[in-house]
Amino acid sequence: SARPRAGEPGRGVRVAVRRYDPIAVALWKHRLQAVTAEMGVALRRAAFSPNIKERCDYSTAIFDAEGRMLAQGDDIPVHLGSMPLSVQYALRDAPPEPGDVVALNDPFRGGTHLPDITLVRGVFDSRARPRFYVANRAHHADVGGMHAGSMPLATEIFQEGLRIPPLRLVRDGRMQEDVLRLILANVRTPDERRGDLRAQIASNHVGADRLQALLAAHGWNTLRRRGDELLDYAEDMTRRLLRTLPDGEYHAVDFLDDDGIEDVPVRIEVRVRLRRGKAHFDFSGSAPQVTGGLNAIEAITRSAVFYVIRSLVEETIPSNDGCMRPVTMTLPRASVVAAEPPAAVAGGNVETSQRLVDVLFEALRPALPERIPAASSGSMNNITIGGVDGEGVPYTYYETIAGGMGARPSANGISGVHTHMTNSLNTPIEALHHAYPFRVTRYALRRGSGGRGMRRGGDGLVREYLFSTPAQVSVLSERRRLPPPGAAGGADGKRGRNALWRDGRWRTLPGKFQIDVHAGDRLRIETPGGAGWGRPRLRRAQR
């Protein structure tokens, strides 16, 4: 529901902003983004695991001397919006000196969930004064814990894997071998983890080199001024968006199917107050933190808000901390949107983040009815597989499976695509067959799973695995009970389905489970379709 005040500004309002040299803004925006892009290329090419090399489950960013994000790669939204808190904790607890690289994954110190490891490196001038920081975050296919792949149905964070507070992995240019040995001793695939961590170190080295070159060419004063200008520009463009929306209070509620442990829907609620170019997001009505691992920490909720605000700004603006200056939040402590230790959080990063976006878009729909799409699949459909191959070598595999995009007011939804808080790729079957002792026997669009409407929702996917050796499998998925809701009279998208073939018949599995599979078993994941937008009869009339 929405209660805009009569007579308040609507779309088309002229808003005064600071003056900028548009060429300089565009030039420096692209210069810094080019650095983050090159960091990403270095990380992807040097990585060992298919999850990073093939799926691109990583993100890169640049921060100024105060820890404010100046630029980010076109990577994973749930990483990028939360990374500033990780950098702030790194600068507070283990400030990097020249030649240092600080590592952390602690969700309660700005992380997301334990498989996402963040590395931070400083960029210093000739007098060893920090001028910038470069950071990257990558999802490691295993960081220990009670189940292969470190995405279990846990009830506390200690079951989910190794928790790393900010510490120096590299000191004065030298790898801290004792720290590395500690990390590798707690994971199932140490060689792969070593390779991925070294790829992250190399990525930050590339970013630091490029920024050093910019410092040498333009000087610190110029770079500081241009960085401040990029932050101010992003702030002004965000305020201009907010000023075009009707002032008032907007409200929405949605639910997660369950937390994987207790069979109860989990409430996510937001109230959005818009007034004079500012926005306040109040999540006070959301459920207390739950027993299972669907708890999102503060950084995740902030990341979802950042993503929604950034995606609604029509101009091609820098994605930096300036976008969040007009935004405030109320996050209830020890809740499903701001969990506290020792809550389990593995699924909060991947599933609760998606529902947060659904709720935020639904709340803002009355203010921007011609821009807000119908709900997308609403799940990352996470699957982890681990075991020992035919030669006795341990392996772990992780991927997210795409679904259907929600229909937009101006176009149909896209089929088989990762949406919202995930921006990774689907793993190529050839890469999977090369690296792991199981096979994909079916990979196709799930025809007809998108919701009908004036604009149709995109279809989900069907992905089926055949196991040749025993393995541990865990799945965290959503929208298996509550479908993606249609908008403006459009139909809901179809719910997802999980099933196991064993002993000659299919058995339906819940949305969240962990099982031991046998040789010859098959697992089928059918992802949800996107919801439709607008009444179908309007589509016929338009034709």
Side-chain angles (χ1 to χ4, degrees):
S1 64
R3 298 193 298 275
R5 299 180 182 180
E8 291 288 355
R11 293 191 60 78
V13 173
R14 296 176 64 85
V15 180
V17 296
R18 286 169 279 213
R19 293 185 179 275
Y20 303 97
D21 178 348
I23 294 177
V25 168
L27 176 65
W28 284 96
K29 167 181 173 273
H30 288 292
R31 273 181 170 166
L32 295 182
Q33 280 187 331
V35 175
T36 64
E38 191 172 354
M39 291 170 63
V41 169
L43 175 51
R44 182 181 185 184
R45 288 182 174 176
F48 277 38
S49 66
N51 186 55
I52 298 174
K53 183 178 290 292
E54 302 289 350
R55 291 189 59 248
C56 300
D57 197 346
Y58 62 80
S59 299
T60 60
I62 297 171
F63 299 80
D64 69 7
E66 299 173 23
R68 301 176 299 179
M69 186 168 65
L70 292 178
Q72 58 181 218
D74 296 327
D75 301 318
I76 312 295
V78 75
H79 288 174
L80 295 165
S82 56
M83 211 185 298
L85 277 179
S86 285
V87 172
Q88 291 172 20
Y89 276 103
L91 300 188
R92 188 194 74 176
D93 296 346
E97 298 176 357
D100 292 354
V101 176
V102 175
L104 71 154
N105 74 345
D106 189 347
F108 304 106
R109 291 180 174 88
T112 48
H113 58 183
L114 296 181
D116 286 341
I117 299 180
T118 302
L119 266 56
V120 183
R121 173 175 175 155
V123 180
F124 299 84
D125 63 14
S126 58
R127 297 183 180 180
R129 292 173 296 191
R131 296 307 192 189
F132 296 100
Y133 296 95
V134 292
N136 60 50
R137 174 173 289 172
H139 184 113
H140 289 250
D142 186 85
V143 289
M146 64 185 283
H147 205 271
S150 309
M151 298 283 286
L153 299 187
T155 57
E156 57 180 2
I157 194 169
F158 308 111
Q159 298 170 329
E160 294 181 333
L162 179 65
R163 185 171 160 197
I164 307 170
L167 51 79
R168 288 176 176 83
L169 181 61
V170 176
R171 187 187 293 270
D172 195 22
R174 295 183 178 181
M175 177 72 78
Q176 297 298 98
E177 294 295 339
D178 53 348
V179 174
L180 181 62
R181 285 196 300 271
L182 175 64
I183 294 173
L184 300 183
N186 285 278
V187 303
R188 295 173 176 84
T189 48
D191 290 340
E192 189 176 86
R193 301 286 69 74
R194 180 188 290 108
D196 286 348
L197 285 170
R198 289 189 177 277
Q200 288 185 260
I201 292 170
S203 167
N204 279 350
H205 183 76
V206 168
D209 275 358
R210 300 300 175 264
L211 290 174
Q212 289 282 8
L214 287 176
L215 276 170
H218 301 280
W220 165 239
N221 289 333
T222 296
L223 266 63
R224 179 179 56 185
R225 184 172 68 253
R226 295 306 185 189
D228 289 343
E229 191 174 65
L230 289 174
L231 292 167
D232 292 342
Y233 178 73
E235 176 190 359
D236 285 344
M237 294 301 100
T238 305
R239 289 188 187 277
R240 185 165 73 173
L241 163 74
L242 296 174
R243 285 184 183 273
T244 63
L245 305 182
D247 283 1
E249 184 174 289
Y250 303 84
H251 172 253
V253 177
D254 204 344
F255 294 85
L256 295 162
D257 292 341
D258 56 69
D259 70 349
I261 303 295
E262 299 177 348
D263 192 17
V264 178
V266 181
R267 182 184 182 92
I268 307 290
E269 181 176 3
V270 67
R271 293 186 182 276
V272 185
R273 290 190 290 274
L274 302 178
R275 183 167 177 79
R276 297 181 180 179
K278 296 181 181 180
H280 182 76
F281 295 83
D282 186 349
F283 293 90
S284 296
S286 300
Q289 64 188 44
V290 294
T291 304
L294 270 288
N295 298 293
I297 41 80
E298 177 184 347
I300 295 296
T301 305
R302 291 186 177 277
S303 186
V305 173
F306 176 86
Y307 166 76
V308 168
I309 290 292
R310 177 64 188 82
S311 65
L312 292 178
V313 179
E314 293 185 271
E315 290 82 358
T316 306
I317 67 170
S319 292
N320 60 38
D321 276 0
C323 299
M324 291 294 283
R325 287 176 178 173
V327 175
T328 55
M329 284 182 241
T330 298
L331 298 176
R333 297 182 60 184
S335 69
V336 73
V337 297
E340 295 185 346
V345 299
N349 174 61
V350 289
E351 297 303 294
T352 308
S353 66
Q354 296 285 68
R355 193 66 71 256
L356 283 164
V357 171
D358 290 343
V359 172
L360 289 164
F361 273 137
E362 188 59 33
L364 291 170
R365 186 181 307 282
L368 276 173
E370 76 284 6
R371 295 277 310 283
I372 303 293
S376 294
S377 60
S379 176
M380 295 192 197
N381 305 290
N382 309 264
I383 178 170
T384 56
I385 303 171
V388 178
D389 66 18
E391 298 178 357
V393 178
Y395 71 90
T396 54
Y397 174 69
Y398 170 77
E399 74 169 321
T400 59
I401 308 174
M405 175 192 284
R408 296 153 286 177
S410 59
N412 295 334
I414 300 172
S415 297
V417 65
H418 291 272
T419 55
H420 296 325
M421 299 304 281
T422 176
N423 190 34
S424 55
L425 303 178
N426 293 318
T427 309
I429 293 175
E430 295 84 355
L432 186 151
H433 288 181
H434 174 74
Y436 300 105
F438 53 89
R439 295 292 179 263
V440 173
T441 56
R442 187 181 179 197
Y443 182 35
L445 292 177
R446 188 185 174 202
R447 299 293 185 185
S449 57
R452 298 182 62 192
M454 179 181 176
R455 306 294 184 186
R456 295 186 64 95
D459 288 333
L461 290 177
V462 179
R463 197 155 166 99
E464 192 172 295
Y465 306 84
L466 171 64
F467 298 96
S468 57
T469 59
Q472 288 184 322
V473 175
S474 65
V475 169
L476 295 177
S477 60
E478 270 288 322
R479 296 296 194 195
R480 267 53 181 177
R481 294 181 176 178
L482 305 173
D492 297 346
K494 281 191 177 180
R495 294 173 295 178
R497 293 187 297 191
N498 306 324
L500 179 71
W501 174 268
R502 177 179 289 175
D503 299 330
R505 67 186 181 93
W506 286 105
R507 305 177 185 184
T508 300
L509 297 172
K512 303 165 188 69
F513 64 87
Q514 53 192 33
I515 58 172
D516 293 331
V517 295
H518 309 151
D521 286 353
R522 282 188 286 163
L523 176 67
R524 179 186 295 167
I525 307 294
E526 300 181 15
T527 67
W533 189 97
R535 299 185 183 280
R537 66 172 180 268
L538 296 178
R539 180 185 180 92
R540 292 194 295 270
Q542 187 182 60
R543 285 177 176 173

